[in-house]
Amino acid sequence: MSVNTRIETKRPGWPEILVGLAVLALVGYGLPITLNRTGVTDGISPVTAGLILAALSGVAGLAAFAVAARIRSLSWSDFGVRPSTGRWLLIGVAGGLVATVLARVAGLVVYYLTSPSENIQQPYLDAAGGGVFTLVLSFLFLAVLTPIGEEFLFRGVVTTALLRYGAVVGVVGSSLIFALMHGLNAVFVTALIVGLVAAELRRRSGSVWPGVLAHVTNNLIGQALALILAAAA
């Protein structure tokens, strides 16, 4: 057990989980639907629409974490938002590489078994199609902002809260919730694998930051590969 884990005296519970997931659904899913149905997004280019969705994927997680953390005014360190060691950060990067390989192999299997007719990641590819500036923004939103937001919520709040029931429930349970929030689609398997790696890193290191780096590594490589494949198609 790490030093960071031993010093935890308080942790979030079901109120933080439920409120955090509700805020995530409202901001990350409800807001885009509302904007679309009210015609606010009419006339917006696919590049701009993709950037908005990419930004919201990170903002939603951060907003959900901020609200959840205020319920009982817990310290951020109670959610595992505390410094980590260089060793654990390197392990986080290595874990991200392992997750990337496993997720891509599993993704190929799912793709050939289900043959999806639609690429649900297309809006994010559109976000990178407006030149160098939008390319950089899309990478910042999807490979930096989104991992931070999602790790703060799902590992900082959900994993931390569920670990009170043991390692299996904490790691596997929070990973399933994370994957399900991405939908029953081609992304589900990738989200599940990344979630398992990040949750275990959270449990063992006592900090969310190794999981953030694992998530960043996966998203960075995944986005780069998607763009390369799209350009070659």
Side-chain angles (χ1 to χ4, degrees):
M1 184 180 294
S2 69
V3 173
N4 283 339
T5 302
R6 285 199 299 268
I7 66 175
E8 287 183 320
T9 58
K10 297 182 292 184
R11 65 173 46 158
W14 283 104
E16 285 81 6
I17 291 177
L18 296 176
V19 170
L21 293 179
V23 173
L24 176 73
L26 180 65
V27 178
Y29 304 114
L31 183 56
I33 292 173
T34 300
L35 292 175
N36 184 53
R37 289 184 175 178
T38 56
V40 174
T41 57
D42 291 350
I44 293 180
S45 70
V47 172
T48 302
L51 285 174
I52 292 173
L53 288 176
L56 278 177
S57 67
V59 171
L62 290 174
F65 171 79
V67 174
R70 292 297 300 167
I71 292 178
R72 287 183 287 180
S73 298
L74 297 177
S75 167
W76 281 26
S77 64
D78 294 321
F79 296 89
V81 184
R82 59 166 68 98
S84 188
T85 65
R87 173 176 173 270
W88 273 112
L89 295 178
L90 288 175
I91 292 174
V93 174
L97 292 173
V98 171
T100 299
V101 173
L102 292 177
R104 297 310 170 276
V105 171
L108 286 174
V109 172
V110 172
Y111 179 84
Y112 284 111
L113 288 177
T114 61
S115 299
S117 58
E118 168 180 32
N119 182 7
I120 62 174
Q121 298 293 303
Q122 188 58 48
Y124 301 133
L125 294 176
D126 292 337
V132 175
F133 180 66
T134 60
L135 177 65
V136 172
L137 277 182
S138 69
F139 268 86
L140 287 175
F141 290 155
L142 295 173
V144 179
L145 182 62
T146 294
I148 292 174
E150 291 186 340
E151 291 304 311
F152 274 36
L153 175 62
F154 287 100
R155 258 56 73 179
V157 176
V158 182
T159 300
T160 304
L162 293 182
L163 280 172
R164 70 176 68 239
Y165 304 111
V168 174
V169 174
V171 173
V172 178
S174 64
S175 301
L176 283 171
I177 293 172
F178 176 61
L180 287 170
M181 290 300 290
H182 284 76
L184 294 174
N185 49 49
V187 181
F188 178 88
V189 174
T190 297
L192 179 61
I193 292 172
V194 172
L196 288 169
V197 170
E200 183 65 7
L201 287 169
R202 164 69 183 98
R203 184 181 76 86
R204 289 180 176 273
S205 72
S207 171
V208 299
W209 292 111
V212 168
L213 285 183
H215 203 151
V216 166
T217 301
N218 173 80
N219 283 22
L220 187 64
I221 296 174
Q223 190 180 5
L225 287 174
L227 289 172
I228 292 171
L229 291 174

